[in-house]
Amino acid sequence: MLSYRQAQEVIMAQAKSFGIEKVRLEASLGRVLAHGVFAPRDLPPFNRAAVDGYAIRFVDFEQGIRTFELEETIFAGEREKKALLAGQCYKIMTGAAVPASANTVFRREDTTEINNQVILNTEKGFEWQNIAVKGQDLKKGALGIPASYQINASAIGFLTSLGQAEVSVHKQPEVAIITTGDEIKAVGEHVDAFQIYNSNLSVLKALLAEYDIEVSTAAHVLDDQAELKKAIAQNLHQDILILTGGVSAGDADYVPEILKDLGVEILFHQVAIKPGKPILCGKINGGAMVFALPGNPFSCLVTFKIFVDTYLRTCLSLAPSPVFKLPADFNRKKRTGFDEFFPVSIKGPQPTLELTALNGSGDIRLGTFSNALAIQAANQMEIAKGEEIYYLPIN
Ligand SMILES: Nc1nc2c(c(=O)[nH]1)N[C@H]1C(S)=C(S)[C@@H](COP(=O)(O)OP(=O)(O)OC[C@H]3O[C@@H](n4cnc5c(N)ncnc54)[C@H](O)[C@@H]3O)O[C@H]1N2
Ligand code: MOO
């Protein structure tokens, strides 16, 4: 049986680009830049006053001048009318362009203005004080954001400042989800005593939405071999097909056989992890990468995070999800020789990982009260309180 890292290698070797497209900047949150974006001009584009105050010539200050003639007032977006002469100052507002004749700004609080005279009440001052100098953030022609950057709110702001109305991003894959099981109902449908709601479908849609991926098909199929075969066959042309349930050893666990019958090449079936051992991953020539995730809700979440995520990130040219280390504030023993994943919360001013209650992989609370997935390595049979362990941020 493969370890999850070996399985990730197998998945990464299958990664491919889904192409490149241009999207409006407002619609680009979560998308991954296909090309670097360069600065079309210096940023800031002018010497910008960083405070409300008075702009002077630093040479005047050096020569001991402390009282200045107020020459004119400059608001943000305005150009000055005259250059400063010795002993003169501008009143200037935050965000306004500091004229070329000035190179130091004093805060309003450090001055007294009476009858067009401005008196400095401080002996501290330096050249370019309180000025964001033209090009200090980014020089014209310099790389602003590199390719393979996943666009977040800050980047939307940055790209707007770079004057980008649209950006080239990696195309999203076409993704289909098929959930299986006679016991599964959609919310709103009547549920009998032995039936449950289709939480896996909602979880998978939400996990894909983090990449701004909207699923193209979402179907639920009963444990009926013919129906399941039909539904799978209809979706093998997609870029990614995600199934949940029906991959382990039960009498109604038809997924592996059906996939083989339909010509899907099985890349691996079962990985040495808990939860999520029954996962199957396959691919059809010229068609879908297939992930058959275990039906248990937490297994479904974990296997998405470890495997589907790895595939998506590699295809979209993103680096693998980062893994971090913090001390555990609990003891934990494990019986399997597998890598085990369990929900934890990062807590406290000197952060530690705290266990989140979860009654096994069927617990419908999933990682709701956690923000990380801790990893107990295969060979680490016991975690002692205080020991540093790896975790993957989630939520
Ligand atoms: N004899 C064995 N039995 C099981 C094994 C095994 O190795 N040998 N593996 C166990 C593990 S581990 C898991 S995980 C499950 C995986 O089972 P399946 O992927 O075949 O899934 P199902 O049997 O269809 O369902 C399992 C569980 O999950 C619930 N489920 C299914 N779909 C959904 C959904 N869309 N939303 C919410 N919950 C769902 C389902 O009702 C079951 O309770 O197998 C173990 N058994
Ligand atoms: O190991 Mo299964 O994936 O939890 O219940």
Side-chain angles (χ1 to χ4, degrees):
M1 211 184 308
L2 297 182
S3 71
Y4 80 92
R5 287 182 188 283
Q6 289 168 324
Q8 283 176 330
E9 293 294 330
V10 171
I11 286 171
M12 286 193 275
Q14 296 297 330
K16 57 166 199 190
S17 163
F18 306 117
I20 289 171
E21 65 181 346
K22 281 197 168 172
V23 296
R24 284 178 309 107
L25 184 62
E26 305 95 88
S28 70
L29 189 66
R31 303 296 298 271
V32 182
L33 279 180
H35 307 301
V37 181
F38 296 83
R41 58 176 182 162
D42 280 344
L43 287 164
F46 50 85
N47 290 333
R48 187 186 68 226
V51 295
D52 299 309
Y54 298 90
I56 61 149
R57 297 161 8 127
F58 185 66
V59 64
D60 290 354
F61 184 79
E62 274 184 321
Q63 286 171 3
I65 301 177
R66 296 293 178 266
T67 303
F68 293 82
E69 199 72 31
L70 179 54
E71 184 59 23
E72 62 181 284
T73 299
I74 304 172
F75 289 92
E78 277 187 359
R79 188 185 293 279
E80 82 281 13
K81 296 184 190 67
K82 283 189 205 150
L84 289 184
L85 300 175
Q88 293 182 336
C89 72
Y90 299 113
K91 185 190 279 190
I92 198 159
M93 307 304 151
T94 305
V98 178
S101 58
N103 57 358
T104 295
V105 174
F106 283 89
R107 297 185 309 165
R108 208 164 191 168
E109 301 85 305
D110 296 331
T111 63
T112 311
E113 183 189 326
I114 322 165
N115 301 331
N116 238 33
Q117 298 274 302
V118 177
I119 303 149
L120 300 185
N121 302 323
T122 174
E123 279 305 313
K124 282 190 201 140
F126 56 89
E127 203 173 358
W128 303 113
Q129 164 175 279
N130 294 322
I131 298 173
V133 177
K134 180 175 189 260
Q136 76 173 26
D137 300 343
L138 204 60
K139 289 266 182 283
K140 180 178 175 174
L143 178 64
I145 308 187
S148 303
Y149 188 92
Q150 190 173 20
I151 299 174
N152 53 29
S154 298
I156 296 249
F158 192 5
L159 289 161
T160 302
S161 296
L162 294 174
Q164 306 293 303
E166 49 180 31
V167 280
S168 288
V169 292
H170 286 277
K171 260 194 195 164
Q172 306 290 52
E174 297 282 323
V175 183
I177 301 175
I178 300 174
T179 55
T180 65
D182 289 350
E183 75 284 24
I184 310 295
K185 293 281 170 183
V187 169
E189 283 183 324
H190 172 76
V191 272
D192 280 332
F194 305 120
Q195 296 176 327
I196 58 170
Y197 292 120
N198 195 348
S199 64
N200 287 353
L201 178 59
S202 320
V203 170
L204 292 170
K205 281 183 172 176
L207 288 165
L208 289 163
E210 289 177 12
Y211 291 93
D212 199 28
I213 296 173
E214 221 176 291
V215 299
S216 38
T217 309
H220 180 73
V221 182
L222 301 178
D223 292 318
D224 174 297
Q225 268 178 314
E227 283 300 308
L228 192 54
K229 191 168 184 174
K230 198 167 116 197
I232 293 175
Q234 279 170 352
N235 285 288
L236 286 177
H237 66 281
Q238 311 267 5
D239 293 312
I240 299 176
L241 168 60
I242 304 176
L243 293 138
T244 75
V247 279
S248 61
D251 283 350
D253 291 341
Y254 306 127
V255 171
E257 271 321 302
I258 292 176
L259 290 174
K260 280 179 212 156
D261 282 356
L262 289 170
V264 173
E265 179 194 342
I266 307 301
L267 297 168
F268 56 82
H269 186 191
Q270 297 199 333
V271 175
I273 52 170
K274 188 181 171 197
K277 177 184 141 205
I279 185 179
L280 179 154
C281 180
K283 67 154 193 180
I284 189 115
N285 232 343
M289 183 78 170
V290 182
F291 294 93
L293 311 183
N296 270 326
F298 189 63
S299 316
C300 175
L301 174 84
V302 168
T303 48
F304 183 100
K305 279 289 180 195
I306 304 172
F307 302 112
V308 184
D309 216 74
T310 297
Y311 184 65
L312 275 175
R313 293 185 74 90
T314 318
C315 292
L316 295 172
S317 91
L318 286 170
S321 294
V323 170
F324 304 95
K325 234 179 174 185
L326 273 178
D329 85 339
F330 52 83
N331 299 303
R332 188 176 193 272
K333 281 187 186 168
K334 74 179 175 73
R335 284 187 293 268
T336 73
F338 296 166
D339 289 301
E340 293 196 3
F341 296 83
F342 50 96
V344 291
S345 291
I346 303 161
K347 286 271 167 74
Q350 293 210 310
T352 55
L353 298 176
E354 193 175 89
L355 265 186
T356 308
L358 193 79
N359 294 318
S361 60
D363 191 326
I364 43 78
R365 291 174 293 180
L366 305 155
T368 304
F369 304 106
S370 67
N371 48 22
L373 259 186
I375 308 166
Q376 184 164 2
N379 60 0
Q380 186 184 19
M381 297 314 284
E382 214 169 324
I383 294 172
K385 194 173 170 164
E387 202 176 320
E388 288 208 327
I389 55 168
Y390 286 106
Y391 69 93
L392 193 76
I394 54 165
N395 295 334

